[in-house]
Amino acid sequence: MISMAFVFVGSTKLLNIAINNNKFRQLLQLMNKHWEIFNGEDERNILSYYACISLKIAKYYGGYILISLILYLFIPLVPRILDIVVPLNESRPLVYVFQGEYGVDKEKYYFLIVLHSYIASLNTITAVFTVDITYIASVLHACSLFAAISHRLNSLNGQEEIKTGDEKKTHIVAHNHSLRDEDISISNDHYKLIICLKKHQFALEHVQILNSIFTKATFILLSLNVLMLSVVGIQVLNNATHTDEIIRYAFLAYGTFLHLIFMCIPGQLLIDRSTEVFEKAYAAAWYTFSVKTKRLLSILLYRSFVPCTLTAGKMFVMSMTMCSSVTQTAMSYFTAFLSIR
């Protein structure tokens, strides 16, 4: 059952991208367009900073998946290796990656069956990795858009912050709203707010398309995570005397939980960055603005009051709160299964 769920996860992710191929192409085109729209030096630095974070996550995530896959697939070969290194009077029981009926003699075609399992596992994990990294990169790109907008809004407060990989530079820009410069400064703030509103609209469009692509698949995967975390616990108890099986299921449990975190953290980051836009707009020196500029500010406040979210089936908001709830639900199912075992 665990193996089937593992394959189902990869198939769901890949099928979701295939079904939403047109939307996904539109999303990538928008991401490319954003680099032309957010063309300020500071904005480019912010977008590049988040792109570097995506690259680092891809490297670490890929390394973890590769190591886990090697260890997971190596365990079935342990009995064969021990038969050669430390032979017994009889051969040790054969272990398979996937338990199933192939319609042939399993012992005779053992290595072919294992090879088939390895290829299937590699294809599945490749699908999971590529879709996950694409999802995370898209969400972080949305975060960079909101961060760039917040940075531009800082100029309305007289303070600008630029975050780079190694340091945080703060530039203070003094607003001079004296009587003789009043018309110039008001016009400048009005123009900046118009730019912020337009760019905020691009960011909202990006999040809307991103959520429409992944919301249904996320709901399926979220439900599957609950089931897998519960069943893995039962399997560990059933194989308490088999150390190798416990190790395999421990890797599965850890991988499932890590996958859940990777689903929830991007949503939490998006909530934080989109909320930051409202906070920066709220902290603006509105009392120095003209009537028209105040109206623009109220529009931006209204649009950014509700944070952008990624949902699962348009019912559950993906955040660290959801991660905690899913874990608690999985433990509840685990104890329920354990009581009727």
Side-chain angles (χ1 to χ4, degrees):
M1 182 178 180
I2 298 295
S3 302
M4 290 178 61
F6 177 67
V7 174
F8 184 73
V9 168
S11 302
T12 301
K13 289 177 178 289
L14 200 59
L15 187 62
N16 178 61
I17 294 297
I19 293 174
N20 296 283
N21 183 50
N22 292 332
K23 288 183 179 180
F24 191 67
R25 183 182 291 110
Q26 182 184 0
L27 182 70
L28 294 179
Q29 290 173 349
L30 272 177
M31 291 174 66
N32 185 52
K33 186 179 180 181
H34 291 156
W35 285 88
E36 300 175 1
I37 297 173
F38 291 75
N39 52 9
E41 182 180 355
D42 296 338
E43 293 173 336
R44 286 288 183 90
N45 289 337
I46 293 173
L47 265 63
S48 299
Y49 172 67
Y50 279 88
C52 290
I53 294 178
S54 301
L55 183 60
K56 289 181 180 179
I57 291 175
K59 291 179 179 179
Y60 292 135
Y61 188 45
Y64 163 75
I65 285 182
L66 182 61
I67 294 173
S68 300
L69 183 65
I70 291 174
L71 293 176
Y72 181 78
L73 297 180
F74 178 73
I75 290 177
L77 296 178
V78 172
R80 286 288 188 173
I81 296 174
L82 290 178
D83 284 341
I84 298 174
V85 178
V86 188
L88 300 176
N89 293 331
E90 58 182 11
S91 299
R92 292 175 173 84
L94 298 177
V95 180
Y96 298 90
V97 179
F98 302 133
Q99 297 296 333
E101 291 295 333
Y102 289 86
V104 295
D105 188 347
K106 286 187 175 182
E107 293 188 7
K108 182 179 179 181
Y109 297 98
Y110 174 75
F111 288 106
L112 288 178
I113 292 175
V114 170
L115 179 62
H116 170 267
S117 302
Y118 283 1
I119 295 174
S121 300
L122 185 60
N123 290 338
T124 302
I125 205 67
T126 301
V128 171
F129 171 74
T130 52
V131 176
D132 281 352
I133 290 302
T134 303
Y135 172 75
I136 293 172
S138 300
V139 176
L140 286 178
H141 179 77
C143 292
S144 70
L145 300 182
F146 288 116
I149 296 169
S150 299
H151 167 71
R152 182 174 283 272
L153 286 171
N154 269 337
S155 62
L156 300 178
N157 310 331
Q159 185 176 12
E160 295 180 1
E161 293 182 354
I162 307 172
K163 292 183 179 179
T164 59
D166 302 322
E167 60 181 351
K168 182 178 179 181
K169 300 178 181 178
T170 303
H171 300 277
I172 305 300
V173 181
H175 271 282
N176 184 7
H177 291 286
S178 60
L179 291 176
R180 62 179 181 178
D181 294 333
E182 184 177 0
D183 294 336
I184 298 176
S185 64
I186 288 176
S187 176
N188 186 41
D189 287 336
H190 187 80
Y191 173 75
K192 288 180 179 179
L193 270 178
I194 291 175
I195 298 299
C196 286
L197 277 169
K198 290 182 178 179
K199 293 185 176 182
H200 190 254
Q201 184 61 37
F202 279 111
L204 293 178
E205 182 184 6
H206 176 84
V207 174
Q208 182 181 6
I209 296 174
L210 178 63
N211 188 50
S212 66
I213 293 174
F214 289 99
T215 181
K216 294 180 181 178
T218 302
F219 176 75
I220 296 173
L221 296 173
L222 201 63
S223 304
L224 196 61
N225 266 272
V226 175
L227 180 62
M228 287 184 66
L229 286 173
S230 304
V231 174
V232 165
I234 298 296
Q235 291 293 336
V236 169
L237 294 178
N238 290 337
N239 296 275
T241 57
H242 300 84
T243 306
D244 54 343
E245 290 296 318
I246 291 178
I247 294 174
R248 290 180 67 191
Y249 286 119
F251 271 108
L252 275 174
Y254 182 71
T256 303
F257 184 70
L258 186 67
H259 180 256
L260 176 63
I261 292 177
F262 266 81
M263 290 173 62
C264 295
I265 285 183
Q268 184 65 53
L269 289 175
L270 183 62
I271 292 173
D272 295 340
R273 294 289 82 78
S274 59
T275 302
E276 193 177 66
V277 174
F278 175 81
E279 293 173 351
K280 297 297 182 183
Y282 185 80
W286 57 269
Y287 45 84
T288 63
F289 298 161
S290 65
V291 176
K292 290 184 178 180
T293 307
K294 289 178 182 178
R295 289 174 181 172
L296 286 179
L297 183 63
S298 64
I299 294 174
L300 181 60
L301 286 170
Y302 177 77
R303 287 185 176 182
S304 58
F305 178 72
V306 178
C308 291
T309 58
L310 298 173
T311 61
K314 297 183 179 180
M315 293 184 290
F316 306 106
V317 176
M318 301 304 295
S319 63
M320 293 310 297
T321 303
M322 176 55 61
C323 181
S324 176
S325 300
V326 169
T327 305
Q328 291 177 0
T329 304
M331 292 303 298
S332 299
Y333 281 122
F334 169 69
T335 53
F337 291 153
L338 195 61
S339 62
I340 61 176
R341 176 169 168 258

